[in-house]
């Protein structure tokens, strides 16, 4: 089968979030829109998983056990060409600026409405096409 005839695979999103209940809610919502969603709950585990799996987009919490989302972003950015959407309860401008400077493509503050999160994800994926 040539490339034009191949069925496109579903978009892979990696959600790096230590709040299991929130991660499950986000995953379940995004599954309805036909995304494949994997969940990682630890900053240290996230780095090799992002680099090895190369998801289309990473939704990255800042406050993580092991190491912060900021550190994860810094470590993976030179090995990962996909999009990074930071998600955090920190709404200080400095935190948002730091995340963007470290290589995040967008930044949302929790509790973001699911439809807005979906719109941000779709917009980022369009940029990466």
């Amino acid at each position: 089968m040539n490339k034009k005839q191949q069925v496109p695979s579903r978009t892979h999103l990696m959600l790096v979030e230590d709040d299991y209940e929130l991660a499950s809610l986000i995953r379940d919502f995004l599954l309805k829109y036909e995304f494949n969603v994997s969940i990682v709950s630890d900053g240290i585990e996230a780095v090799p998983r992002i680099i090895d799996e190369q998801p289309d987009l990473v939704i990255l919490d800042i406050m993580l056990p092991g190491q912060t989302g900021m550190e994860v972003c810094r470590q993976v950015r030179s090995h990962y060409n996909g999009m990074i959407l930071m998600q955090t309860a920190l709404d200080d401008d400095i935190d948002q600026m730091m995340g963007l400077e470290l290589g995040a493509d967008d930044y949302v503050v929790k509790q973001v409405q699911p439809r807005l999160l979906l719109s941000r994800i779709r917009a980022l994926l369009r940029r990466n096409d």
Side-chain angles (χ1 to χ4, degrees):
M1 189 184 284
N2 69 36
K3 287 187 178 187
K4 288 184 180 178
Q5 294 175 330
Q6 290 177 348
V7 176
S9 61
R10 289 171 51 156
T11 301
H12 177 204
L13 307 179
M14 184 175 291
L15 176 57
V16 184
E17 171 62 63
D18 64 321
D19 180 334
Y20 182 76
E21 186 176 328
L22 177 60
S24 295
L25 289 170
I26 292 170
R27 180 197 60 215
D28 293 348
F29 176 78
L30 294 172
L31 287 172
K32 293 177 187 176
Y33 293 91
E34 300 188 5
F35 292 105
N36 283 333
V37 182
S38 55
I39 297 174
V40 179
S41 60
D42 180 88
I44 293 172
E45 179 188 348
V47 172
R49 293 264 319 262
I50 293 167
I51 293 169
D52 292 344
E53 295 179 28
Q54 293 291 310
D56 298 294
L57 184 138
V58 174
I59 303 167
L60 180 59
D61 186 18
I62 289 183
M63 305 300 277
L64 294 167
Q67 65 184 3
T68 68
M70 297 284 190
E71 185 62 20
V72 171
C73 185
R74 188 190 65 73
Q75 288 182 26
V76 303
R77 192 73 274 185
S78 63
H79 306 284
Y80 170 66
N81 293 323
M83 302 302 240
I84 297 175
L85 173 62
M86 286 199 157
Q87 174 177 266
T88 185
L90 303 173
D91 63 354
D92 189 348
D93 291 350
I94 299 297
D95 294 314
Q96 294 181 43
M97 290 168 33
M98 184 183 302
L100 295 168
E101 290 294 322
L102 287 172
D105 298 287
D106 199 359
Y107 191 108
V108 294
V109 177
K110 293 179 185 175
Q111 296 289 358
V112 62
Q113 293 298 314
R115 290 178 297 171
L116 178 58
L117 179 62
L118 178 63
S119 293
R120 295 282 186 109
I121 290 168
R122 287 178 171 164
L124 288 171
L125 292 170
R126 280 193 305 270
R127 270 194 241 164
N128 212 25
D129 282 342

